[in-house]
Amino acid sequence: MADRTPAPRQDVCVVGAGPAGSLVAHRLASAGYDVTVLEAGPRFDGDREERERRMERAIRPDRGGVWGMGGERDAFSASGDRFYPLDAARVKGVGGSTLHWQGMVMRLHEADFDGDLPNDDPAWPLSYEDLRPYYAEAERALGVAGSSENPFAPPREEPHPMPAFEPSYSDSLFAKACERLGIATHAVPNARNSEGYDGRSACVGYGTCQPVCPSGAKYSADTHAEKAEDEGARVVDRAPVQRLETDGEGRVEAAVYATPDGDEHRQPAREFVLAAGGVEIPRLLLLSRSSDHPDGLANSSGAVGRYFMEHLFAGAGGTLDRETRQNHVGFITSESHQFYDDPGQAVERDGETVVPAAGDEPLSPIKLEFLNYAGPSPVELAVDADDWGDSLLSDLRDAYGDHVAMGGLVGQPPRPENRVTLDADTTDDHGNPVPDIQWSWGPRVKRTLARANEVQTAVLGELGADVEWTVGPDETGPAFHHMGTTRMGTDPAESVVNPRLRTHDVANLWVASSSVFPTAGSMNPTLTIAALALQCADHLDERL
């Protein structure tokens, strides 16, 4: 039985053992500090045999969840204009959502930080140059395979730790069509090993990257949780924090957490770091209201929970009259960021306009993806089939091999009406109000989704595909990138944390999460989360 009783007063207590919390814990434990990490979910057995069993469960016809999400523990509400399917793609456990993420790790562009994009988004209170060395450290920590060939990427100081994955066969088809349209394609940085790295093997091509990587080639944050433990940190699983208690001087004194046996404990510490994601962090702050903090902890601005942002998916696909080798690669190897800083630019072929330039209304950045997993996989077709033998083989030959598709991400602007609040009418397994997601899209997102679809259908048309479906602008869904609910800023009346990620209101409370993002951009956020976490750890080291 694991010992879940509290340790003596620690230097640092971290809430959450996902990528941010695990990186903070490892860095501070390596510096000699006493660190305890409290994680709401369990430890998952990470050996090869267990991962293979998990993969097998994931591809069976019933496709039950393999990471234990759901039920009273994970209850939530979604009262906004759009239903937000919170539990569809999050994981509570040591490693967090990196246990089943896709593994794409891009740096935000300089324009994201500077507010120089052609839209209404504000600037960040720190620059790309401030975060640039931490981006490099994050790439080394996670193990990133990438290339410097992307002409739209921000400047970097050194190559990626590993070479990029080779473009897939379908990438080569897209590349020729894009070249004729004047659209540049380039490699995607992936937090998965293209060669052996950090004691983990190279990718062996299982193709089930979501929801599980059986080989361990894709990075997951339990790696750094274990490294933190090797340096002396204590990681306590199945210990959901119920509230943070403050002393009479406004500092956090202890994290109160529950254990599976029904007991509650208080973990005291000098400093506290919240790293539980963009939904659970504001929820915990709101649950920690007291007579000294009647609106919730660190919430004098009223911004806790507000400015919830997401990335929306734009896509289009269909079939070709030739082989595409669909689903031979389970992750993306090529993209185009050409429409990121300038999403409204025209697309031309031989001097003829294929997609006219957009109007003057602001658009979000667009990140275009070339999907290597278009259409059903042969395994998916086989396990879902009713036939066997020659009949099944004939059906597989008819249904597999000619699908092709593009995807993309479009970021939401920060809108105060998009927020996380508490639903007092619905409680979790400890009797606490569950998070309520109030989510809407707004006109800019819809315009940008439509713009992305125009470019995607133009590329597919140039490829000669029969376009059979599009996703966007009216019916689409989130990428499950929770951002913005404890935003960073210099004005305590408008933001929750300062540029060092310490809360304005509480001197010993820090936030390491995408929840501090002032804007969403349209890049996958995990590398920026990791870079901010490493920077936060350095600021804490200075303070301690």
Side-chain angles (χ1 to χ4, degrees):
M1 296 293 291
D3 179 10
R4 295 186 174 86
T5 57
R9 187 169 186 257
Q10 299 285 277
D11 293 315
V12 182
C13 176
V14 181
V15 179
S22 296
L23 285 167
V24 167
H26 175 246
R27 197 170 187 102
L28 293 176
S30 299
Y33 297 108
D34 294 329
V35 180
T36 288
V37 182
L38 300 174
E39 166 56 47
R43 293 176 186 265
F44 294 98
D45 192 340
D47 64 34
R48 179 71 169 266
E49 184 176 341
E50 173 56 30
R51 287 194 296 260
E52 289 180 352
R53 286 195 294 267
R54 206 175 294 278
M55 174 193 70
E56 185 176 321
R57 291 200 301 275
I59 63 177
R60 288 186 179 277
D62 60 6
R63 290 185 181 84
V66 298
W67 297 109
M69 288 299 298
E72 192 178 16
R73 183 195 71 172
D74 306 314
F76 68 95
S77 298
S79 66
D81 293 342
R82 298 277 179 168
F83 176 75
Y84 191 83
L86 180 61
D87 281 348
R90 65 172 178 164
V91 175
K92 290 182 180 178
V94 177
S97 293
T98 57
L99 293 167
H100 75 160
W101 67 321
Q102 195 174 43
M104 299 165 69
V105 279
M106 302 87 176
R107 301 182 182 194
L108 287 174
H109 283 200
E110 291 170 287
D112 283 311
F113 293 94
D114 300 338
D116 288 340
L117 290 165
N119 57 43
D120 301 324
D121 288 353
W124 287 42
L126 50 78
S127 69
Y128 173 75
E129 286 301 315
D130 292 330
L131 210 55
R132 181 171 169 175
Y134 291 101
Y135 269 133
E137 286 191 54
E139 288 168 345
R140 291 192 296 270
L142 274 58
V144 176
S147 167
S148 299
E149 67 173 359
N150 182 352
F152 312 104
R156 52 183 306 114
E157 57 297 306
E158 59 188 54
H160 291 83
M162 289 175 282
F165 286 90
E166 292 295 322
S168 69
Y169 176 74
S170 60
D171 284 353
S172 68
L173 301 179
F174 276 116
K176 293 175 184 177
C178 286
E179 184 178 6
R180 294 193 294 271
L181 294 173
I183 297 174
T185 63
H186 47 79
V188 176
N190 275 280
R192 54 173 47 80
N193 294 351
S194 59
E195 57 191 26
Y197 187 87
D198 198 24
R200 297 177 287 119
S201 75
C203 174
V204 295
Y206 276 95
T208 60
C209 311
Q210 291 179 296
V212 58
C213 172
S215 70
K218 184 182 65 176
Y219 173 82
S220 59
D222 53 331
T223 299
H224 274 93
E226 292 170 4
K227 289 184 177 184
E229 289 180 304
D230 290 341
E231 296 292 339
R234 185 167 183 250
V235 178
V236 184
D237 72 326
R238 293 196 291 167
V241 176
Q242 308 296 293
R243 61 192 177 277
L244 301 173
E245 291 185 346
T246 53
D247 59 21
E249 299 178 356
R251 294 170 59 88
V252 179
E253 192 172 56
V256 179
Y257 64 96
T259 55
D261 57 12
D263 291 338
E264 279 194 356
H265 299 285
R266 297 174 75 259
Q267 177 58 63
R270 295 167 59 192
E271 304 285 332
F272 292 80
V273 179
L274 303 186
V279 173
E280 293 297 336
I281 289 174
R283 181 193 181 206
L284 177 58
L285 292 173
L286 295 173
L287 287 173
S288 300
R289 62 167 55 99
S290 65
S291 58
D292 293 331
H293 305 277
D295 297 320
L297 197 58
N299 195 29
S300 65
S301 64
V304 167
R306 290 193 182 273
Y307 304 101
F308 175 76
M309 297 177 290
E310 255 289 2
H311 293 142
L312 279 297
F313 177 79
T319 56
L320 284 176
D321 60 359
R322 57 192 183 278
E323 185 182 63
T324 63
R325 300 183 193 171
Q326 70 190 55
N327 268 286
H328 277 209
V329 182
F331 55 94
I332 295 171
T333 47
S334 291
E335 288 189 333
S336 178
H337 297 171
Q338 183 164 323
F339 298 87
Y340 194 89
D341 291 354
D342 185 10
Q345 63 184 274
V347 177
E348 297 184 348
R349 187 184 193 279
D350 296 332
E352 179 181 351
T353 299
V354 178
V355 179
D360 294 332
E361 292 183 296
L363 299 170
S364 291
I366 296 172
K367 180 174 81 82
L368 293 177
E369 304 167 341
F370 304 102
L371 303 184
N372 291 317
Y373 37 84
S377 71
V379 173
E380 181 181 354
L381 288 166
V383 297
D384 279 343
D386 295 324
D387 295 335
W388 297 87
D390 290 342
S391 177
L392 172 59
L393 182 59
S394 176
D395 289 345
L396 289 176
R397 285 172 172 162
D398 290 341
Y400 172 77
D402 61 354
H403 290 75
V404 67
M406 289 183 66
L409 295 184
V410 168
Q412 290 188 281
R415 304 170 72 213
E417 62 266 36
N418 283 341
R419 61 188 302 199
V420 177
T421 62
L422 299 179
D423 179 3
D425 295 328
T426 308
T427 55
D428 65 10
D429 55 342
H430 295 282
N432 294 314
V434 303
D436 178 48
I437 316 298
Q438 299 173 16
W439 191 45
S440 60
W441 294 355
R444 191 178 99 188
V445 167
K446 290 187 176 182
R447 284 196 303 270
T448 313
L449 288 167
R451 183 68 182 176
N453 287 157
E454 287 179 333
V455 177
Q456 291 164 337
T457 53
V459 173
L460 289 165
E462 184 65 30
L463 193 59
D466 181 10
V467 179
E468 299 173 344
W469 58 268
T470 58
V471 175
D474 294 314
E475 296 300 328
T476 183
F480 300 101
H481 300 155
H482 308 149
M483 298 167 283
T485 51
T486 60
R487 68 187 331 208
M488 182 197 320
T490 56
D491 184 353
E494 299 289 337
S495 57
V496 179
V497 304
N498 65 23
R500 295 171 68 87
L501 304 188
R502 183 175 64 81
T503 62
H504 293 297
D505 297 351
V506 184
N508 67 334
L509 181 61
W510 308 70
V511 180
S513 168
S514 56
S515 66
V516 307
F517 288 16
T519 60
S522 294
M523 295 293 183
N524 303 60
T526 303
L527 191 70
T528 304
I529 294 171
L532 287 169
L534 293 170
Q535 184 185 54
C536 178
D538 276 359
H539 291 323
L540 262 167
D541 187 14
E542 294 172 9
R543 180 177 173 84
L544 290 165

